Amino acid sequence: MKWVRAKDGAIFGVCKGLAKALDLPVGMFRLVWILSLLFFGAGFWLYLLFAIILPREDKVVQALDPKFLGVCAKLALKTDLEVGIVRFLTVLLSISSFGATIIAYVVLYFVLEDK
């Protein structure tokens, strides 16, 4: 399962890319996303977040290039997870931990070794 954005999606390719990854029909996924807009705009913010953190399917090789210090890319290599999933979890933890994850992120920058 690759968490990537589709290169030929309607806007940024988030719905099409995630629908392919989750093996769901794209139309159904887009309908769920549109319905999520009704819940205090949560769908808008999630879409924007995925548009920023997920690599496009035609640029997956460059996805391991560091965005910010390269910690997520290093963690993805060490844990054999998709870099998009690692980036999503990092951002989600940063929001829910009120910044504690940001401190851990900087510490990991100095602790993780380059391959």
PDB file of all heavy atoms in Angstrom, residues 8 40 54 63 76 90 100 110 115:
ATOM      1  N   ASP A   8      -2.662  12.533 -11.773  1.00  0.00           N
ATOM      2  CA  ASP A   8      -3.749  12.998 -12.630  1.00  0.00           C
ATOM      3  C   ASP A   8      -5.052  13.190 -11.844  1.00  0.00           C
ATOM      4  O   ASP A   8      -6.134  12.974 -12.367  1.00  0.00           O
ATOM      5  CB  ASP A   8      -3.958  12.028 -13.787  1.00  0.00           C
ATOM      6  CG  ASP A   8      -4.243  10.610 -13.314  1.00  0.00           C
ATOM      7  OD1 ASP A   8      -4.048  10.325 -12.120  1.00  0.00           O
ATOM      8  OD2 ASP A   8      -4.651   9.792 -14.142  1.00  0.00           O
ATOM      9  N   PHE A  40     -17.345  20.850  10.332  1.00  0.00           N
ATOM     10  CA  PHE A  40     -16.471  21.947  10.752  1.00  0.00           C
ATOM     11  C   PHE A  40     -15.250  22.114   9.856  1.00  0.00           C
ATOM     12  O   PHE A  40     -14.198  22.551  10.306  1.00  0.00           O
ATOM     13  CB  PHE A  40     -16.039  21.767  12.216  1.00  0.00           C
ATOM     14  CG  PHE A  40     -17.187  21.597  13.150  1.00  0.00           C
ATOM     15  CD1 PHE A  40     -17.472  20.367  13.705  1.00  0.00           C
ATOM     16  CD2 PHE A  40     -18.015  22.665  13.462  1.00  0.00           C
ATOM     17  CE1 PHE A  40     -18.548  20.200  14.565  1.00  0.00           C
ATOM     18  CE2 PHE A  40     -19.084  22.512  14.315  1.00  0.00           C
ATOM     19  CZ  PHE A  40     -19.356  21.280  14.874  1.00  0.00           C
ATOM     20  N   LEU A  54       2.085  14.177   1.386  1.00  0.00           N
ATOM     21  CA  LEU A  54       2.191  12.980   0.551  1.00  0.00           C
ATOM     22  C   LEU A  54       2.946  13.287  -0.738  1.00  0.00           C
ATOM     23  O   LEU A  54       2.674  14.276  -1.408  1.00  0.00           O
ATOM     24  CB  LEU A  54       0.805  12.440   0.197  1.00  0.00           C
ATOM     25  CG  LEU A  54      -0.012  11.847   1.327  1.00  0.00           C
ATOM     26  CD1 LEU A  54      -1.360  11.357   0.808  1.00  0.00           C
ATOM     27  CD2 LEU A  54       0.722  10.728   2.024  1.00  0.00           C
ATOM     28  N   ALA A  63      10.745  11.165  -2.851  1.00  0.00           N
ATOM     29  CA  ALA A  63       9.973  11.314  -1.618  1.00  0.00           C
ATOM     30  C   ALA A  63      10.850  11.178  -0.389  1.00  0.00           C
ATOM     31  O   ALA A  63      10.534  11.699   0.665  1.00  0.00           O
ATOM     32  CB  ALA A  63       8.850  10.285  -1.558  1.00  0.00           C
ATOM     33  N   ALA A  76      11.309   6.475   7.915  1.00  0.00           N
ATOM     34  CA  ALA A  76      10.661   5.628   6.919  1.00  0.00           C
ATOM     35  C   ALA A  76      11.606   4.528   6.446  1.00  0.00           C
ATOM     36  O   ALA A  76      11.199   3.379   6.284  1.00  0.00           O
ATOM     37  CB  ALA A  76      10.189   6.471   5.741  1.00  0.00           C
ATOM     38  N   THR A  90       3.662  12.117  12.070  1.00  0.00           N
ATOM     39  CA  THR A  90       4.454  13.156  12.728  1.00  0.00           C
ATOM     40  C   THR A  90       3.654  14.440  12.887  1.00  0.00           C
ATOM     41  O   THR A  90       3.640  15.045  13.957  1.00  0.00           O
ATOM     42  CB  THR A  90       5.747  13.430  11.933  1.00  0.00           C
ATOM     43  OG1 THR A  90       6.494  12.218  11.846  1.00  0.00           O
ATOM     44  CG2 THR A  90       6.581  14.501  12.595  1.00  0.00           C
ATOM     45  N   ALA A 100       5.305  18.715  21.852  1.00  0.00           N
ATOM     46  CA  ALA A 100       6.310  17.789  22.384  1.00  0.00           C
ATOM     47  C   ALA A 100       6.953  16.982  21.255  1.00  0.00           C
ATOM     48  O   ALA A 100       8.138  16.651  21.310  1.00  0.00           O
ATOM     49  CB  ALA A 100       5.698  16.869  23.421  1.00  0.00           C
ATOM     50  N   PHE A 110      19.434  14.640  15.496  1.00  0.00           N
ATOM     51  CA  PHE A 110      20.797  14.469  15.941  1.00  0.00           C
ATOM     52  C   PHE A 110      21.135  13.014  16.275  1.00  0.00           C
ATOM     53  O   PHE A 110      22.285  12.611  16.240  1.00  0.00           O
ATOM     54  CB  PHE A 110      21.063  15.356  17.163  1.00  0.00           C
ATOM     55  CG  PHE A 110      21.037  16.811  16.837  1.00  0.00           C
ATOM     56  CD1 PHE A 110      19.984  17.600  17.248  1.00  0.00           C
ATOM     57  CD2 PHE A 110      22.047  17.400  16.088  1.00  0.00           C
ATOM     58  CE1 PHE A 110      19.943  18.951  16.936  1.00  0.00           C
ATOM     59  CE2 PHE A 110      22.022  18.745  15.777  1.00  0.00           C
ATOM     60  CZ  PHE A 110      20.969  19.522  16.200  1.00  0.00           C
ATOM     61  N   LYS A 115      22.370   6.811   6.348  1.00  0.00           N
ATOM     62  CA  LYS A 115      22.759   5.537   5.723  1.00  0.00           C
ATOM     63  C   LYS A 115      23.669   5.790   4.573  1.00  0.00           C
ATOM     64  O   LYS A 115      23.690   6.733   3.936  1.00  0.00           O
ATOM     65  CB  LYS A 115      21.526   4.778   5.271  1.00  0.00           C
ATOM     66  CG  LYS A 115      20.860   4.087   6.420  1.00  0.00           C
ATOM     67  CD  LYS A 115      19.888   3.067   5.887  1.00  0.00           C
ATOM     68  CE  LYS A 115      19.382   2.239   7.026  1.00  0.00           C
ATOM     69  NZ  LYS A 115      18.590   1.134   6.612  1.00  0.00           N
TER      70      LYS A 115
END
